Amino acid sequence: QLRASSLDRLLEGWQLPDCMLLLLMCESVNSSSFFRPYLDLLPDTVDTPITWSKEEAKELVGSPVLHRAVKLRHELARSFQEMKDKVFDKYPDRFPPLLFSYERYQWAYSILRSRAFGNYTLMPLIDLMNHHPDSRLAPTLLSDGSDALIARREYNVGDEVWGFYGRKSDADLLLNYGFTSSPYHHNKFNQVELVLDLDLSRPSISESADLKHMLVQACGFSITQQKFALYKGLIS
């Protein structure tokens, strides 16, 4: 069992996400953890594309989610290896390999990615809310440092209270949480990424390049930006 001060020393200078990952892993194997009632409610797995088998990932062929999931898996493996080299391998008595494995690291990462609010904060019960693209109900930080859910409409007994995870497309929802809004709800945040495969910082080489240059500047974008999200309809 590690004390918080001990963790602080081990991860001095590390970024908050890495600190939260290690803290969650430590608490999850601590049978006497203060957070045990909450930890026991967390799922054993989070079904997102980063955990899918090759056969399951074939369903994503033709979707940009596949490339993003593969890239994320590589980044996750690298970040685990860094923590393993700097922490786990240096203190094997404190971090037994069977308990602090890549699988547990991946689990902690998926829990934080799919359930944390704001500054990597886990909130029991609130994280049970399902997402709806038309809802705007999300934790609000109050002046005293606490969080609150502020209802912006009346609810009847038995009504489902939908949360809002942010302006996320179905691709974002699938990658981060393991579900999509469609076909159950219209997701106005669905988008298609338009890539202008042209170095607009170079002298114009054709009439087409001139038109693209003018369009980008007219829309208020930097001439070095080459990826743009296209939405169907209006976003409010």
Side-chain angles (χ1 to χ4, degrees):
Q1 181 177 351
L2 291 174
R3 301 175 61 179
S5 59
S6 178
L7 285 177
D8 288 343
R9 289 194 298 270
L10 288 174
L11 294 179
E12 186 175 359
W14 284 50
Q15 297 296 314
L16 180 60
D18 296 308
C19 297
M20 287 299 297
L21 276 171
L22 182 57
L23 178 60
L24 181 56
M25 292 179 74
C26 290
E27 293 297 329
S28 69
V29 298
N30 178 8
S31 60
S32 59
S33 170
F34 171 81
F35 305 104
R36 178 50 51 195
Y38 172 63
L39 294 169
D40 287 342
L41 293 176
L42 296 176
D44 294 329
T45 59
V46 180
D47 186 17
T48 65
I50 66 171
T51 65
W52 288 4
S53 66
K54 289 184 178 180
E55 283 299 314
E56 292 171 324
K58 288 181 180 179
E59 298 292 333
L60 296 175
V61 172
S63 166
V65 178
L66 179 59
H67 172 73
R68 292 172 61 186
V70 171
K71 181 180 178 181
L72 188 56
R73 289 183 70 159
H74 289 320
E75 293 174 352
L76 195 60
R78 284 195 298 269
S79 62
F80 169 75
Q81 190 61 49
E82 183 178 1
M83 184 174 288
K84 183 174 182 293
D85 293 340
K86 293 184 177 181
V87 179
F88 299 159
D89 288 349
K90 285 186 177 181
Y91 308 98
D93 56 326
R94 295 184 176 184
F95 302 98
L98 289 178
L99 297 180
F100 293 87
S101 62
Y102 174 71
E103 288 72 24
R104 292 304 296 171
Y105 183 86
Q106 188 181 65
W107 170 84
Y109 173 87
S110 297
I111 290 295
L112 288 176
R113 190 176 178 91
S114 64
R115 308 180 86 84
F117 292 92
N119 203 18
Y120 299 94
T121 303
L122 291 172
M123 299 182 183
L125 298 182
I126 292 180
D127 64 3
L128 295 177
M129 288 192 304
N130 290 320
H131 167 78
H132 196 295
D134 294 331
S135 174
R136 289 298 179 270
L137 186 60
T140 300
L141 182 64
L142 303 181
S143 58
D144 62 359
S146 61
D147 288 280
L149 283 177
I150 302 176
R152 304 184 187 280
R153 69 174 184 83
E154 293 184 355
Y155 288 89
N156 295 317
V157 175
D159 285 351
E160 179 167 359
V161 179
W162 295 92
F164 183 64
Y165 296 0
R167 299 160 66 95
K168 299 184 184 298
S169 66
D170 280 344
D172 295 326
L173 294 172
L174 180 61
L175 187 63
N176 295 326
Y177 308 98
F179 71 89
T180 63
S181 287
S182 305
Y184 312 105
H185 309 289
H186 169 66
N187 188 356
K188 59 187 176 184
F189 301 112
N190 279 337
Q191 59 182 260
V192 175
E193 189 176 77
L194 173 66
V195 179
L196 297 181
D197 190 15
L198 178 68
D199 185 356
L200 297 177
S201 64
R202 295 187 305 173
S204 299
I205 57 177
S206 68
E207 182 179 350
S208 175
D210 284 335
L211 291 174
K212 290 180 179 180
H213 198 158
M214 292 172 59
L215 175 61
V216 169
Q217 288 188 313
C219 293
F221 297 111
S222 166
I223 62 172
T224 59
Q225 182 175 346
Q226 297 192 32
K227 292 184 178 181
F228 306 88
L230 301 183
Y231 298 92
K232 180 180 179 181
L234 298 177
I235 300 294
S236 61

